[in-house]
Every structure is written in structure tokens, then in C-alpha cells.
Amino acid sequence: MRAVLFDIDGTLVTTRGAGREAFAFAMRDGLGIELETAIAAIDRVDFRGGTDEVLLERVAAELGVSFPRFHEPVIEAYLQVLERTMTPDRVAALPGVHALVEHLETQDDMLVGLLTGNIREGARRKLQVVSLQRLIDRPGGFADDGRERAAIAHAALAKAIRHGVDPQRVVVIGDTQHDVSCARAIGAKAIAVTTGGTDRNVLEESGADLVLENLGDIGPILELVGQL
């Protein structure tokens, strides 16, 4: 078995700021922080490549507060806000996503899953808008599995191996240098796209095996995957 594991934000979907908005409301509803104060703090945080846990820590540091890992009131507020903000007018699949996922799913020896810094239920709320929620319940990695991307990657690989995947036949697709580094952490090939706003030079210098403008350029992707 082979595996292709996708990042979500900036790779599969764009949420047009709805995710950052959800973090702000989570701080308000879960911790009692003034919304404007929370928004100002969030605007100072780079969200690209971060896990939900790390991003919450960064925002909390900007606010001068602390709370336990995956503090239930904050997470519950975050998920409730995602439920109402992740709507078709805010969330869209990025170019080529559906065609690529559907093509990979036709391969009998292929596991198509996720390797994301989102918590599982947050990922579900984002992907159900673009009819990709089926990826959630397959072997993969989520912020629930670890604080850092490398830990999540190792958890995803362990699940994939239990599903019959050869650990030498894995590709990670993402939009930041952090996705590339977590691919390297598990010995996987890395494909990077610029749809998340990371400069192409940064992605190339990070050591990605393939850098593309978007996932609509399916030929080189299938060629690399076919070499596994």
C-alpha cells in the first residue's frame, strides 16, 4: 500500500479568514477576552503551518494568559464558531483538489488521508463544506495526536502502517515549509503548493521534492506518486 496525506488549510481549502475568526471568538467565549483584543492578538500571529495547540499557545501568549492543553471551554467555543462560520461563501476547495483526490482514490493500493495541524473535529467542519469529510475518518494525523507537526506525522505514519502502508511509500502534500519538514521527519516525499501564501523560494529551499502553483497541475504529482 501507498499513502498520500494532505494538509488542509491552504492546501485543500481556503477559509477566507474564517478560521482566524473562530480563534478570536473562542478566546472571547472560552476565556472571557474582549473580542477586539483577541482579534488584535491573532493578527500578530502567523498561522501558516501551526498546529491548533501551538496556535492557541501563541495567541494566549500575545494576550498574556495561559490555560491547560486543549482547554475544554476554548475548544468547545472554537468548534461552535466553526460550525457557523464554515459556510460555502467562506470555504472553497482550492484548484485541482477534487480531481486529484478522486483520481488517487481510484488506485486500489492507495490510502488517501490527512496530515494536518487541525484538531479532528475542526477539520471535519472545514472539509464537510467542500464534501471532503470522508478523509477525516481514514488513518491520518491531527492536532489531537501531538503538539508539533513532527509528532503528528509520526502518529499518522503509525496509523497508515497498521492499515498496510509501506512506510517507504508515503507522500505528504502541504503549503508550507513546515509540511515539508514533517514529511522529512517520517522519511516521506514532500509536495508543496504556493496556494497558502508561502513564497515558492521558501518551499524550494525547504527541500520539497516538488513545488507547484496549485494542485491543478496533476501530471507531476501523479508522476512522483507513481514512483513510490
Side-chain angles (χ1 to χ4, degrees):
M1 288 283 291
R2 298 173 290 167
V4 176
L5 303 175
F6 288 91
D7 173 56
I8 294 178
D9 298 288
T11 303
L12 291 178
V13 303
T14 177
T15 61
R16 299 183 177 92
R20 298 174 74 92
E21 180 181 315
F23 269 82
F25 277 96
M27 289 295 166
R28 186 196 70 176
D29 299 343
L31 294 178
I33 304 293
E34 289 289 336
L35 184 60
E36 290 184 0
T37 301
I39 291 172
I42 287 167
D43 285 344
R44 296 191 293 271
V45 175
D46 184 357
F47 271 49
R48 290 175 297 180
T51 67
D52 279 352
E53 181 176 357
V54 168
L55 293 175
L56 284 170
E57 288 177 359
R58 291 176 184 169
V59 173
E62 291 286 342
L63 292 167
V65 300
S66 62
F67 48 88
R69 182 175 189 260
F70 291 137
H71 186 47
E72 187 171 337
V74 171
I75 296 301
E76 183 59 34
Y78 173 63
L79 293 175
Q80 287 180 0
V81 177
L82 284 182
E83 197 69 51
R84 66 174 185 264
T85 60
M86 293 295 154
T87 56
D89 62 315
R90 302 285 297 273
V91 184
L94 286 161
V97 163
H98 282 290
L100 176 59
V101 169
E102 289 165 10
H103 182 89
L104 293 172
E105 288 176 330
T106 65
Q107 309 300 306
D108 291 336
D109 67 338
M110 184 72 69
L111 165 67
V112 183
L114 300 169
L115 202 175
T116 175
N118 285 269
I119 58 174
R120 182 186 294 271
E121 290 310 311
R124 190 183 305 279
R125 284 159 175 76
K126 293 178 181 182
L127 292 183
Q128 66 188 7
V129 183
V130 295
S131 300
L132 287 173
Q133 68 271 24
R134 63 186 182 275
L135 301 179
I136 299 291
D137 297 314
R138 298 174 185 172
F142 302 87
D144 315 66
D145 297 311
R147 179 181 181 279
E148 301 289 350
R149 300 287 298 221
I152 297 171
H154 281 289
L157 181 63
K159 295 175 192 176
I161 290 172
R162 290 196 293 271
H163 196 72
V165 170
D166 181 336
Q168 303 302 314
R169 306 181 74 198
V170 178
V171 174
V172 173
I173 301 181
D175 66 291
T176 72
Q177 65 272 33
H178 307 293
D179 297 298
V180 177
S181 63
C182 79
R184 293 289 175 254
I186 58 173
K189 296 289 187 182
I191 297 174
V193 287
T194 61
T195 43
T198 301
D199 188 85
R200 184 184 188 94
N201 290 335
V202 172
L203 297 173
E204 290 174 343
E205 291 169 5
S206 71
D209 296 285
L210 182 62
V211 178
L212 301 169
E213 182 178 341
N214 58 57
L215 295 178
D217 194 359
I218 194 170
I221 299 172
L222 297 182
E223 181 178 354
L224 189 151
V225 172
Q227 295 169 358
L228 295 177

